[in-house]
Structure formats: structure tokens, C-alpha cells
Amino acid sequence: MAKRKTLEDALSQLEEITQEMEEGSLSLEDSLKKFNEGMKLVEFCNQKLDDAQSKVEMLTRKENGTLIAEPFPLEDNLSDQE
């Protein structure tokens, strides 16, 4: 049975590819192959992060004391950090 790729696996592979390309010992053809492989890994990572973002919710307490789940407002948090 094939092992399922995780975000951590993909990030590790990206680090390896980056290191290989930064060393400068790859031929142009091999560099292009590694670049394309890296781009596929980036797309995979972005999809995994998008999936995770859609699952993250915040619990908010209403005035009457009840808790409700609301989507995590990612955009608001990013603009606060800038």
C-alpha cells in the first residue's frame, strides 16, 4: 500500500530540491526537472493549507452565554500583523 504524502513530507522534499538547486551542480535539464517537481510540491502544499484553513473554526461566546463555531478570519489576522 502506498504511503500517503503529508504536508511535512512535501516540505521536506522542497527543502531537498532547494538545496540541490542552490548547490549549482545540476545540469540545466535536471534543474528544470527539479523546478517542475518543486512547483508540483508547492501546489500540493497550498492545497493542504487551504484545506486546513477551511476546517479551522473559532468558538465565539454570544451574549446569552452559548458558544457557536465561526470560520477563522484569516485575512483579518494577517492584516493585523503587517
Side-chain angles (χ1 to χ4, degrees):
M1 183 175 195
K3 183 181 174 188
R4 211 171 177 172
K5 187 187 303 188
T6 65
L7 177 65
E8 292 79 8
D9 293 336
L11 289 173
S12 178
Q13 287 178 301
L14 274 171
E15 288 175 7
E16 290 175 20
I17 289 170
T18 301
Q19 186 175 10
E20 288 177 28
M21 292 184 76
E22 285 177 345
E23 289 173 358
S25 60
L26 297 174
S27 67
L28 177 59
E29 184 177 330
D30 288 339
S31 292
L32 289 172
K33 286 178 185 176
K34 291 291 183 179
F35 177 80
N36 287 329
E37 183 181 344
M39 291 306 296
K40 289 177 184 175
L41 289 167
V42 167
E43 289 175 18
F44 173 84
C45 291
N46 281 333
Q47 184 60 51
K48 286 289 189 184
L49 292 172
D50 287 344
D51 292 346
Q53 178 185 344
S54 68
K55 293 177 183 176
V56 174
E57 295 181 337
M58 289 186 346
L59 288 178
T60 305
R61 187 175 302 274
K62 293 296 181 181
E63 289 179 20
N64 65 3
T66 60
L67 292 174
I68 63 164
E70 296 179 344
F72 187 74
L74 182 63
E75 292 80 23
D76 293 343
N77 288 338
L78 290 177
S79 63
D80 289 345
Q81 293 176 0
E82 293 177 356

